[in-house]
Amino acid sequence: MLSDSSEKTLLALLFASGESVSIKKIAEAMEIDESLALKTADRLKKRLEEENFPLKILRLEDSFQLCTDKSYSRQIGRLLSSRKNSPLSPAALEVLAAVAYNQPVTRAYIEQVRGVDSSKILTSLVDKELLCEAGRLDLPGKPIAYKTTPDFLRIFGLESLKELPLIDEEQKSLKEAGEES
């Protein structure tokens, strides 16, 4: 299929990016000038079309993006929806609760609360768009902080995090405060 190493390089860059990449960034990554990067992108786009390849190159103004041919959209949609709609495990619910009640939090905090490694669960919840990165903390190693997303609220039927049920300690404190007055 592809014999030109510059086309292979460009295909690898676009695949790894997962989003549109400006011709300027492509040229910088390939260490070539922009006009040559543009010619390579156009040549790759044409070759994929000629060979009826399931991948396409979209040109978006001064950027290019790798995508799948629209004829595969039904199958891809089923694949992605099945991954997102899989039920949440008790461990995933524990991680969501730890984040929702204490956000933003780091993986280390979650693991301290749960007492077990939570990296795979965090990755899964980010993939399902229930959690997202909230930035990095100004601590050694610059750990990533996580927070819930609007999808989390929507899926759990909440308008805001203020609607989260009180946890036992909070309920006891409120009950004691009510008895004292």
Side-chain angles (χ1 to χ4, degrees):
M1 197 221 121
L2 294 177
S3 57
D4 185 332
S5 68
S6 61
E7 289 178 11
K8 289 178 180 179
T9 302
L10 176 57
L11 186 61
L13 292 173
L14 294 175
F15 176 79
S17 167
E19 55 188 32
S20 66
V21 182
S22 73
I23 200 66
K24 181 179 179 181
K25 287 187 178 186
I26 291 169
E28 288 171 4
M30 294 179 68
E31 298 177 328
I32 59 177
D33 64 52
E34 289 183 32
S35 64
L36 184 55
L38 186 58
K39 287 177 187 174
T40 303
D42 287 336
R43 202 171 56 242
L44 177 60
K45 181 180 189 309
K46 184 178 179 185
R47 183 167 286 171
L48 292 176
E49 289 169 1
E50 288 172 352
E51 296 190 24
N52 202 25
F53 210 69
L55 301 175
K56 303 293 178 200
I57 304 290
L58 289 180
R59 184 169 185 173
L60 308 165
E61 294 181 354
D62 69 336
S63 298
F64 288 87
Q65 183 170 0
L66 182 67
C67 65
T68 54
D69 186 273
K70 63 183 175 187
S71 63
Y72 298 93
S73 62
R74 189 172 55 93
Q75 295 91 339
I76 293 168
R78 282 198 317 257
L79 171 71
L80 296 178
S81 70
S82 69
R83 184 172 49 178
K84 282 189 178 182
N85 294 332
S86 58
L88 295 173
S89 67
L93 291 171
E94 286 176 6
V95 170
L96 279 173
V99 175
Y101 282 100
N102 301 290
Q103 63 186 315
V105 298
T106 62
R107 180 176 58 90
Y109 174 84
I110 294 165
E111 290 174 351
Q112 181 182 9
V113 168
R114 296 188 64 233
V116 295
D117 177 60
S118 300
S119 56
K120 286 185 180 179
I121 294 170
L122 269 171
T123 300
S124 170
L125 292 171
V126 169
D127 287 346
K128 292 177 187 234
E129 299 177 359
L130 296 174
L131 296 180
C132 67
E133 290 185 17
R136 292 188 176 265
L137 298 182
D138 193 19
L139 297 171
K142 301 278 187 192
I144 297 170
Y146 294 92
K147 66 179 183 177
T148 56
T149 65
D151 282 350
F152 167 83
L153 296 174
R154 182 180 52 77
I155 288 169
F156 286 93
L158 303 170
E159 287 186 21
S160 76
L161 293 173
K162 292 176 184 174
E163 293 183 359
L164 285 171
L166 296 175
I167 53 178
D168 290 339
E169 294 168 13
E170 290 176 330
Q171 290 172 337
K172 288 178 186 176
S173 296
L174 288 174
K175 191 173 183 181
E176 289 171 5
E179 290 174 0
E180 292 174 5
S181 44

